Each structure stands twice: as C-alpha cells, then as structure tokens.
Amino acid sequence: FDSWQKNVDFNLNGYFLCTQKVAKFMKEQKSGCIINMAYIYGVVGPTFDIYEGTTMTMPAAYSAIKGGIINLTRYLAAYLGKDHIRVNAVCPGGIFDGQDPLFVDKYAKHTPFRRMAQPEEIAGPVVFLASDAASFITGNILMVDGGWTAV
C-alpha cells in the first residue's frame, strides 16, 4: 500500500496540484492550454505477456493513475472551458528507450506498425495540441500508440 500511496500522491496528485497553480494564471490571462501525459494502460488493460521473461513489470498503480489522469483531463476541460483554457491528454504507447530486446519484440507484435514509438513521434502531437491549430480541441484524449488500442 505504501508504494501505491506514494505513486498516487506523486503522480495523480501532482497533476492536480500543478493544474491548480497554472490555471490561476491562465484564468487571469483568459486563455491557456494544459496537456497531460497519460498512457494506453489508462484506456485498456495491460498486456502482461509482453513482460514475461524480462525484469520489467506493470504495477496496478500505474494503470490506475493514467486512467485517473484521463478522467481528470475531461473534468478539467469541462470546468476550465469557461475560462478559455483547453485541457487535453496524450496517450502514448510504448516508447523505445533501450528496453530488453525480448520486451521490445513482444511489444512490437501488438501494434500494426510492428514497433515501438520514437520520442519525437510523441512530441509532434503535443506540439499540435499546444498550437493554435488545436484551438477548438479540449477534453480530447489523443492516442499516439501506433494502433495498439485499435487492434
């Protein structure tokens, strides 16, 4: 329980507290854009077989926190919209960062692109959501997962 509580406090509560602080300034300027980072496991359940044979794991708190961030995003979009503050979330899939080759191979088999994302492939959608091109987008959960949640 201690690990669960620490993770929820640091992550989910951290998102809430940061938003509370920045929203104050955004309300004063009558505009703003908040982009939260969630993850595919906040939308779908984990696929545990991709971790078998590796030292990697997927703790329950991670999925719960990411799901919480998704619904916090929707709540904040509805609540802050009257102040012209847009709130969206990006839900990336796995991002390659030198993980165990067995994990990378198993992960890749679950996406239509048959690979993990590169960091810059997540940055582009974030830049889009922060731009004026997304000026009428709020409360959206943008899946950037190579099709993981589509199949």
Side-chain angles (χ1 to χ4, degrees):
F1 179 77
D2 287 342
S3 174
W4 172 280
Q5 188 66 55
K6 285 179 187 175
N7 277 296
V8 170
D9 284 344
F10 181 75
N11 290 292
L12 187 55
N13 293 346
Y15 274 84
F16 176 77
L17 293 171
C18 286
T19 298
Q20 196 175 42
K21 296 293 182 188
V22 301
K24 179 179 162 181
F25 296 102
M26 292 176 176
K27 284 180 180 183
E28 290 173 9
Q29 67 186 21
K30 296 183 178 27
S31 70
C33 175
I34 298 168
I35 302 168
N36 293 323
M37 295 302 294
Y39 187 68
I40 56 174
Y41 288 167
V43 175
V44 297
T47 303
F48 290 103
D49 69 324
I50 65 175
Y51 303 100
E52 291 173 4
T54 74
T55 59
M56 298 173 71
T57 185
M58 178 47 56
Y62 187 81
S63 289
I65 290 163
K66 296 305 183 178
I69 290 168
I70 289 167
N71 280 319
L72 178 62
T73 298
R74 291 179 177 128
Y75 175 91
L76 292 169
Y79 185 76
L80 296 172
K82 68 186 178 311
D83 298 304
H84 308 285
I85 300 170
R86 298 182 294 114
V87 186
N88 294 291
V90 172
C91 277
I95 302 168
F96 182 74
D97 189 28
Q99 294 96 329
D100 182 312
L102 179 60
F103 169 80
V104 173
D105 183 58
K106 288 181 176 186
Y107 183 95
K109 290 177 182 172
H110 286 276
T111 69
F113 287 162
R114 299 294 186 246
R115 64 178 179 83
M116 298 181 81
Q118 294 298 313
E120 58 273 13
E121 292 176 303
I122 308 306
V126 172
V127 169
F128 164 70
L129 286 173
S131 76
D132 288 340
S135 64
F136 201 62
I137 299 174
T138 194
N140 197 296
I141 311 306
L142 183 57
M143 305 306 294
V144 187
D145 62 0
W148 178 286
T149 55
V151 295

